[in-house]
Amino acid sequence: MQPADPRGKRVAVVGGGLVGALNACFFARRGFSVDVYEAREGCAIAVSITNRDIRVASFARGRSINLALSHRGRQALRAVGMEEQIVSKGIPMRARRIHTPSGKKYSIPYGKKNQYILSVDRANLNRELLTAADKYSNIKLYFGHKLVGCDAELGTLTIKRHGRIDPRDPLVFRSDQQPLQVTYDLIVGCDGAFSTVRKEFMRQTRFNYSHEYIPHGYMELTIPPKDGDFAMEPNYLHIWPRNTFMMIALPNMDKSFTCTLFMPFEEFEKLTTGEQVLDFFQTHFPDAIPLIGERELKHDYFLLPAQAMISVKCSSYHLASRCVLMGDAAHAIVPFYGQGMNAGFEDCLVFDELMDQFCNDLGACLPEFSRLRVPDDHAISDLAMYNYVEMREHVNSTWFIFRKHVDNFLHTLMPSTIVPLYTMVTFTRIRYHEALQRWKWQNKIINRGLFVMGAAGLGGTCLLIRRLPRDLDFCMENLWGWPRYLKNMGNFLFGTQVA
């Protein structure tokens, strides 16, 4: 197949977040002319485009500033030459550090000694990706430009510039700020869980869509540095599991920790005063109080209400050959597997690999992208839901820890046959749905093996117990016969008679 020439073809990336900015880099490297539209805006700075740039905006409180970067995300960053730049500004986390109510702590490693995930700052990562995109001459970034309409079949976007009008803006709007229509060869929807691009999909027949708000919310708190250093061990993801709720803490480059409390909304609503919050933490997270600070805890808890978490599934991810969804727009997931960003980055990488495979033919790439990614993204969505139960509850279980040791032992013996689920998801690019299927198969085999071994051990113990009385009688009978035997033996040797 003769490669299609991307030069002269225009791509619109809707959303300047993590996945949108990375996608822009991938398309620009292929020679496409790329426009990135981002609704958010910040303060004006002098960049190659002259509009209001979210790279200098203060980051909104309430949205998690911590992300866990792992193998899939790193592979995507490597493909655009940014892996080392981002990794150098992350903190390795090699294990879960479990905090019990009594204050006892223990660790559960993520994998082998050389395997770890990275705690990275969301705002800094977004800033680095946008700065990288801005260096491409064939990328234009438009901040404060909101998508108000989309015709996927025609490839047309309706964009409205909101806020201050800059006469040097490459998109020159009329003074009445009426929306402008722009046509593209490809529209890439990276505009998040509440995607405007996806609304166009929902008007189509045979498009499947569902979303679910889980009954738990989250709230962020901060553990500040102590004497200029980390207040806890930095190379861990700290977890306070309490069965129906939990708190986690991830390290930051400034030596602080970002704590996130996950809990049912009704539990959040019960805590209405600072003293109630303090009593709650004294009961469930006593060792966290001196780390956060009593005054800070009572103040920060009420800065913002608990935030909701949504899971989005849809199918398919493309319309004709002119529109495709990626990242949270296609598959928003709850954060408990640390794979939301990694799955979104892998979307970009998979699409780029398909462009190589199909020689830049968008008509062939888009349906194949949907075929590959829909089952994978649905699988990681389900696994993220499961991992919340594991993090808040299972890590307290002796059986869970025992099974972890069994899985790791078998993985050491048979590294290509038995691979722990977390390893497959976090440290490989095994497709998510294949990892899920393989995990179920492995569980079935290992559980059967443990059952057989347990049954054999129990059966052997029962036989031993049943034989023990008879063997004991035999031994006692022989024991009492020994004096008589010795006496008779003496008579034989010395020729004496026993009366």
Side-chain angles (χ1 to χ4, degrees), residues 201 203-209 315-316:
F201 283 61
R203 296 189 179 98
Q204 309 298 316
T205 58
R206 300 176 63 195
F207 175 71
N208 297 315
Y209 168 81
S315 176
S316 65

Side-chain angles (χ1 to χ4, degrees), residues 149 226 373 436:
K226 182 178 181 182
R373 292 305 285 172
L436 180 57

Side-chain angles (χ1 to χ4, degrees), residues 237-281:
L237 192 156
H238 293 263
I239 308 177
W240 289 258
R242 301 298 182 261
N243 295 325
T244 58
F245 56 91
M246 71 173 181
M247 186 169 72
I248 66 172
L250 278 74
N252 300 311
M253 292 295 286
D254 64 0
K255 306 294 180 70
S256 68
F257 284 87
T258 299
C259 297
T260 310
L261 174 61
F262 298 98
M263 193 162 65
F265 278 102
E266 56 267 25
E267 296 299 323
F268 279 114
E269 292 161 3
K270 290 177 183 177
L271 306 178
T272 57
T273 69
E275 290 304 319
Q276 288 178 334
V277 172
L278 196 58
D279 289 343
F280 175 81
F281 269 73

Side-chain angles (χ1 to χ4, degrees), residues 186-373:
L186 177 66
I187 298 168
V188 185
C190 304
D191 48 341
F194 303 98
S195 169
T196 303
V197 177
R198 195 179 60 232
K199 290 179 182 177
E200 173 68 17
F201 283 61
M202 295 176 71
R203 296 189 179 98
Q204 309 298 316
T205 58
R206 300 176 63 195
F207 175 71
N208 297 315
Y209 168 81
S210 66
H211 74 256
E212 178 186 358
Y213 283 97
I214 67 172
H216 293 66
Y218 73 94
M219 177 179 290
E220 292 202 337
L221 302 164
T222 301
I223 294 176
K226 182 178 181 182
D227 300 325
D229 203 354
F230 289 102
M232 300 186 294
E233 305 95 320
N235 297 119
Y236 295 94
L237 192 156
H238 293 263
I239 308 177
W240 289 258
R242 301 298 182 261
N243 295 325
T244 58
F245 56 91
M246 71 173 181
M247 186 169 72
I248 66 172
L250 278 74
N252 300 311
M253 292 295 286
D254 64 0
K255 306 294 180 70
S256 68
F257 284 87
T258 299
C259 297
T260 310
L261 174 61
F262 298 98
M263 193 162 65
F265 278 102
E266 56 267 25
E267 296 299 323
F268 279 114
E269 292 161 3
K270 290 177 183 177
L271 306 178
T272 57
T273 69
E275 290 304 319
Q276 288 178 334
V277 172
L278 196 58
D279 289 343
F280 175 81
F281 269 73
Q282 192 64 58
T283 302
H284 299 289
F285 312 114
D287 60 330
I289 296 175
L291 298 172
I292 299 172
E294 289 188 15
R295 186 178 64 180
E296 291 79 4
L297 177 59
K298 290 192 285 187
H299 174 264
D300 292 354
Y301 185 90
F302 297 101
L303 284 177
L304 279 178
Q307 306 293 300
M309 289 176 283
I310 190 172
S311 176
V312 171
K313 290 181 178 179
C314 67
S315 176
S316 65
Y317 291 166
H318 75 286
L319 271 181
S321 61
R322 303 195 77 161
C323 193
V324 65
L325 300 174
M326 295 192 200
D328 283 357
H331 49 81
I333 65 176
V334 293
F336 305 115
Y337 225 116
Q339 286 295 305
M341 172 188 65
N342 292 289
F345 282 5
E346 192 176 43
D347 284 347
C348 305
L349 182 57
V350 168
F351 195 87
D352 189 66
E353 291 168 345
L354 290 174
M355 292 286 277
D356 279 337
Q357 181 180 340
F358 293 106
C359 304
N360 296 324
D361 182 355
L362 295 174
C365 284
L366 268 64
E368 183 66 7
F369 177 78
S370 284
R371 188 188 71 80
L372 291 175
R373 292 305 285 172

